[in-house]
């Protein structure tokens, strides 16, 4: 079972990354730091003659991760009640990726994986993070990607997440399940 | 009364821009195309010594628009059930802007403006766009920026929005109100 | 085309009823006042031997309305950010109705109708009424009943809804469409 | 510390009641079975001369529970993506209770308590139960009643909830906290 974690935070050792580390503790996995990848915002050319044009950036790294993973973990800080801009830029480009003739197998491959969302915020994330979860749900539904679990953790200052006992227990439960499946 | 429209679409003559044009028809206003502005994703340094660092990009254009406007119109296509990545990058940077010592008046100025959201999508926007509206609401609440109106329009192919009679009537109603206030 | 409006308000000439009247203006339709029907809360016996038991009340009136209608209009005040208790009691009993052997055609009949929701509240209904719309959507999805339109109107004191120009225009638009389809 | 659990299910030994029992395990508390109390739907007379009229039913039992409790636990099955009709009828009557001259201290008393919501459903409750949580949040905000925790559990057939490890761990965590506070 291959696991990829997409790290959406802009800072090192972010709370959302810490939470992801707990979920993948002692399990082989790969981490992609979105802040370190050069990814262009999508240019929507669906309705233009010729359609989408090739983009010179590092988005293929993302596509390959989708192609190779059985578990896709989206780890993001909650910025303004939504995912980080870097993660949104990455998600937006999926519209182009699923139409990319170089990867005809992408759509089907995604459907056999599972998605997990880990989001950490400082302003009542367990309530105000709910719209974000609903959006991920609509997105995964569109992709027919099973949405197996999410955790909304609380944290603001570095390390805060380690005080959120509920999030820690949820992470531990997920970790046990992923270990068992390995 | 000064009006600024932030255009979040990646394509020219997008449905969300068309809708914005109807809202501001025959009213003096300014448009900012986010796709044409170089804006870096936020680097969250709130908890680092020294705090946020100056960024060499065009975000000051955004800040000045916030400082000068009485009506802030956020016009975005619905990409994956949320605002476009370009608009999210712009919103994220507000965390830095409201702490920027060069603009001490920003927080208070925002509170005397009003916000309008115009979002157009192709997959049941009047239902699946609701989480996006809730997120804008939480965001404006945080900023104490009155959220005066929103329109969720339907459209996919260029020009589609002109078939959404409900959205057109809502736009016309808003246009009348903004004209009256001018 | 047969239209039934379910009136969920507890008071005469409520704002939500006024709004329903505008939607059905000059169109033949039937109104059911839920406050005047004796309907018992559901007793969930799905997992008991023998299953649901016959209930001596007036719920069959509701079932017949579902069986006979092409357009089902749910008109409710927003009480505590949700539909009225009387309407909820009515909705809950659908779980029994769709298993009632006396009405084997009910489930299929529902799928060829359409549903409209009209909800009026006093505390920012266009934002705080969104969860209610999402719940109706999940409910109609479960029933495979197309959800064709909704209006979230603002009103508190009797007659207030007549000041909500956006709701009035939406009602007029719906009225025109229903008239055209007749 | 006084704890009252409002049981909203229509069946004995429901999953939502089992979950509540785990939260209050080994802690003194009181349970109110809403299905056993005669409670009339609200008759909204806020805008009528004379206002609300006395109702001959058992709602005072609810009011006394609110007056006496430090922790209010709302335990409900998820019927049609929302609370049960019996619980909704109970919530609706709060509009009358907070205006009841016999209980002038009610509004203030509520603000010094805390609320916990336990909801169990069979159709993806951790996603489709989110609007219900948002409605409780708006309700508690209106009442200025702190909303300290919620659990969305999965269960359909009797006893199912005992297979939802995440819900069990959340219940245990809550139980520990309530014990510690006692």
């Amino acid at each position: 079972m291959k696991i990829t974690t997409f790290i959406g935070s802009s800072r090192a050792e972010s709370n959302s990354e810490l939470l992801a580390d707990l979920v993948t503790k002692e399990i082989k996995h790969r981490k992609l730091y979105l802040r370190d990848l050069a990814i262009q915002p999508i240019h929507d050319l669906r309705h233009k003659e010729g359609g989408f044009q090739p983009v010179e950036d590092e988005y293929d790294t993302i596509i390959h991760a989708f192609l190779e993973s059985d578990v896709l973990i989206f780890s993001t800080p909650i910025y303004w009640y939504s995912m980080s801009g870097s993660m949104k830029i990455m998600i937006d480009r999926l519209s182009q990726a699923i139409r990319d003739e170089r990867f005809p197998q992408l759509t089907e491959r995604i459907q056999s994986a599972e998605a997990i969302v880990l989001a950490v915020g400082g302003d009542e994330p367990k309530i105000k993070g709910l719209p974000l979860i609903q959006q991920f749900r609509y997105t995964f539904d569109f992709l027919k990607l099973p949405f197996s679990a999410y955790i909304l953790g609380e944290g603001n200052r570095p390390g805060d997440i380690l005080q959120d006992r509920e999030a820690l227990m949820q992470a531990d439960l997920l970790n046990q399940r992923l270990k068992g499946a390995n």
Side-chain angles (χ1 to χ4, degrees), chain A:
Chain A
M1 198 181 58
K2 291 198 177 170
I3 299 174
T4 299
T5 305
F6 300 98
I7 303 290
S9 183
S10 68
R11 72 182 182 204
E13 292 173 58
S14 67
N15 283 304
S16 52
E17 182 174 356
L18 284 175
L19 188 58
D21 289 345
L22 291 171
V23 168
T24 54
K25 195 177 166 183
E26 296 167 16
I27 307 176
K28 188 165 171 276
H29 67 284
R30 183 186 182 193
K31 271 196 212 181
L32 286 179
Y33 290 89
L34 301 179
R35 64 176 177 269
D36 293 340
L37 289 171
I39 302 180
Q40 294 299 312
I42 195 166
H43 185 190
D44 180 6
L45 295 167
R46 282 174 299 155
H47 308 290
K48 283 283 180 188
E49 210 179 321
F52 284 111
Q53 297 304 308
V55 181
E56 299 272 331
D57 65 3
E58 300 181 286
Y59 198 75
D60 282 4
T61 304
I62 303 293
I63 296 180
H64 286 292
F66 271 84
L67 285 171
E68 291 157 15
S69 304
D70 304 293
V71 181
L72 300 157
I73 301 178
F74 298 85
S75 157
T76 182
I78 303 180
Y79 288 163
W80 297 102
Y81 314 102
S82 181
M83 68 182 79
S84 70
S86 302
M87 185 167 279
K88 188 61 182 32
I89 292 281
M90 181 266 263
I91 295 283
D92 283 1
R93 284 284 296 282
L94 282 172
S95 301
Q96 177 163 359
I98 59 179
R99 290 170 176 85
D100 192 326
E101 292 175 359
R102 296 175 301 148
F103 307 105
Q105 73 281 39
L106 179 62
T107 319
E108 200 177 324
R109 178 63 185 90
I110 286 176
Q111 300 174 11
S112 64
E114 70 172 270
I116 292 170
V117 171
L118 311 174
V120 182
D123 183 15
E124 300 186 71
K126 289 168 213 287
I127 297 288
K128 297 186 182 173
L130 300 182
L132 170 61
I133 299 303
Q134 293 174 317
Q135 290 168 331
F136 270 116
R137 170 54 191 270
Y138 285 136
T139 295
F140 299 149
D141 269 5
F142 185 93
L143 297 168
K144 297 197 178 70
L145 164 60
F147 187 4
S148 61
Y150 67 84
I151 303 177
L152 289 169
E154 184 150 2
N156 208 340
R157 301 185 61 81
D160 274 359
I161 189 67
L162 303 176
Q163 308 305 318
D164 180 342
R165 288 185 59 196
E166 190 177 31
L168 297 186
M169 290 175 82
Q170 290 174 301
D172 184 55
L173 206 59
L174 265 176
N175 178 256
Q176 288 174 39
R177 175 166 71 74
L178 292 175
K179 260 184 197 157
N182 243 341

